[in-house]
């Protein structure tokens, strides 16, 4: 995701794409016949990798990358983590050398979040609701420190790269961060997305930004099926991700994939 996704983030800096995958829809009744997920992430168009190699479709790409052997998939994830373990724990590092993206990213996210909170959690404005958020792929705590901790009473950070998470822990310590006693980084969880299961009913929002591309298609689906149990009634997911204009792009260095819009931002029934 480092090479192509960060470059693409510059293109969408003025027009961020967000998707809210909601556990409960405000205006649509829940259909009990759809208890089973209808997620189906299949990219029928071809794609290419960061070296320019073409694939006929995603199935061909995944068959080569992870096959049906669990050990091969485990190695694929290990290599992805290994790449980030060699990156410095700084905003410029986690943004792939594009540290200047940080400010417009936070500005766009804050505008979106303000609208979301006023519409979905109006009682939070007068402190009648204790808001808790999970920051997935939190890295060094960039999004938490610059945005989430100002709006949520508790933030849990989920990050598989240990030195990123330790930097976040230090940066968000009360003595190093100006936050009120009512707002804090509560838990620092060094667990990869594909292995994470949240505490039931803990979160108002699960914020997933610039990390879901590190999951294979089947683990993408499994993550949301597991994570939905962590939402409070009326809670929701926020998915912010880079998208390919057509097909898909595989980064063979950090082991991530940028999916086409219709595969990344489709409507889900969980």
């Amino acid at each position: 995701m480092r090479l192509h996704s960060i470059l693409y983030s510059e293109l969408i800096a003025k027009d961020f794409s967000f998707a809210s995958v909601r556990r409960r829809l405000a205006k649509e009744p829940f259909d009990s016949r759809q208890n089973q997920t209808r997620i189906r992430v299949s990219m029928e168009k071809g794609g290419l990798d960061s070296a320019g190699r073409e694939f006929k479709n995603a199935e061909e790409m995944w068959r080569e990358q992870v096959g049906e052997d669990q050990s091969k998939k485990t190695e694929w994830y290990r290599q992805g983590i290994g790449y980030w373990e060699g990156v410095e724990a700084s905003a410029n590092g986690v943004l792939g050398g594009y540290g200047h993206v940080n400010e417009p990213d936070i500005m766009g996210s804050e505008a979106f979040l303000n609208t979301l909170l006023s519409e979905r959690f109006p009682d939070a404005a007068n402190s009648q609701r204790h808001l808790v958020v999970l920051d997935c792929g939190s890295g060094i705590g960039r999004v938490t420190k610059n945005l989430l901790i100002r709006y949520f009473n508790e933030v849990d950070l989920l990050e598989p790269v240990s030195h990123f998470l330790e930097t976040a822990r230090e940066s968000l310590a009360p003595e190093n961060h100006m936050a009120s006693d009512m707002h804090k980084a509560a838990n620092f969880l060094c667990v990869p997305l594909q292995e994470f299961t949240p505490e039931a009913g803990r979160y108002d929002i699960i914020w997933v930004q610039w990390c879901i591309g590190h999951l294979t298609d089947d683990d993408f689906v499994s993550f949301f099926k597991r994570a939905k149990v962590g939402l409070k009634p009326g809670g929701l997911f926020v998915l912010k991700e880079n998208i390919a204009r057509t097909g898909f792009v595989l980064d063979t260095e950090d082991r991530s994939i940028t999916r086409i819009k219709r595969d990344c931002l489709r409507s889900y029934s969980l």
Side-chain angles (χ1 to χ4, degrees):
M1 186 174 298
R2 176 182 56 86
L3 296 175
H4 47 272
S5 297
I6 295 300
L7 286 171
Y8 191 72
S9 72
E10 290 194 288
L11 299 177
I12 64 170
K14 295 182 180 179
D15 184 23
F16 289 105
S17 296
F18 292 91
S20 297
V21 185
R22 303 183 179 185
R23 186 182 184 190
R24 295 188 178 184
L25 302 179
K27 297 181 180 179
E28 298 181 16
F30 178 72
D31 187 348
S32 60
R33 294 171 297 178
Q34 298 178 358
N35 285 338
Q36 296 184 343
T37 180
R38 294 169 55 197
I39 300 175
R40 183 169 162 264
V41 185
S42 62
M43 292 165 284
E44 294 152 4
K45 289 188 177 181
L48 68 159
D49 66 18
S50 48
R53 180 186 173 185
E54 296 184 357
F55 295 94
K56 293 179 181 179
N57 51 48
E59 287 73 21
E60 178 187 43
M61 182 272 293
W62 288 126
R63 188 162 54 248
E64 177 182 297
Q65 293 296 312
V66 300
E68 298 181 358
D69 185 347
Q70 183 60 39
S71 64
K72 190 173 182 180
K73 179 189 281 191
T74 299
E75 177 63 15
W76 193 79
Y77 281 123
R78 189 195 66 78
Q79 290 178 6
I81 295 295
Y83 169 82
W84 291 107
E85 287 176 340
V87 172
E88 74 171 17
S90 66
N92 198 55
V94 298
L95 290 173
Y98 292 84
H100 61 278
V101 171
N102 179 64
E103 185 175 349
D105 167 49
I106 296 300
M107 289 177 60
S109 293
E110 186 162 20
F112 171 82
L113 184 58
N114 273 311
T115 300
L116 185 66
L117 291 177
S118 64
E119 291 180 354
R120 296 301 299 268
F121 308 110
D123 53 344
N126 52 15
S127 301
Q128 292 184 7
R129 182 175 180 127
H130 186 88
L131 291 177
V132 183
V133 63
L134 174 66
D135 182 0
C136 295
S138 62
I140 61 170
R142 182 186 66 86
V143 175
T144 289
K145 184 172 184 176
N146 293 313
L147 176 64
L148 300 178
I149 203 167
R150 294 191 281 113
Y151 288 88
F152 293 85
N153 302 103
E154 294 183 59
V155 185
D156 288 350
L157 289 82
L158 179 67
E159 170 58 47
V161 180
S162 60
H163 76 291
F164 285 173
L165 198 62
E166 287 308 308
T167 297
R169 190 192 303 273
E170 180 178 348
S171 175
L172 292 163
E175 62 270 22
N176 295 328
H177 181 61
M178 295 182 63
S180 72
D181 294 339
M182 297 295 294
H183 298 263
K184 65 178 181 179
N187 297 296
F188 296 83
L189 309 167
C190 194
V191 183
L193 286 177
Q194 70 273 14
E195 298 176 12
F196 178 71
T197 300
E199 174 187 338
R202 172 163 172 75
Y203 301 109
D204 297 281
I205 290 179
I206 296 178
W207 188 280
V208 187
Q209 176 171 345
W210 292 345
C211 61
I212 203 71
H214 286 284
L215 297 188
T216 62
D217 288 354
D218 56 342
D219 286 337
F220 178 112
V221 172
S222 296
F223 167 73
F224 283 103
K225 291 174 69 175
R226 291 193 315 277
K228 68 176 181 177
V229 305
L231 293 172
K232 298 177 184 178
L236 51 91
F237 291 96
V238 173
L239 173 63
K240 181 175 182 178
E241 190 54 80
N242 298 300
I243 54 176
R245 294 186 183 278
T246 183
F248 60 89
V249 183
L250 169 70
D251 189 324
T252 57
E253 190 170 10
D254 73 0
R255 295 296 190 269
S256 66
I257 185 166
T258 301
R259 296 172 167 94
I260 192 171
K261 182 176 181 179
R262 66 184 175 83
D263 291 302
C264 201
L265 303 183
R266 64 175 59 190
S267 176
Y268 300 145
S269 176
L270 296 173

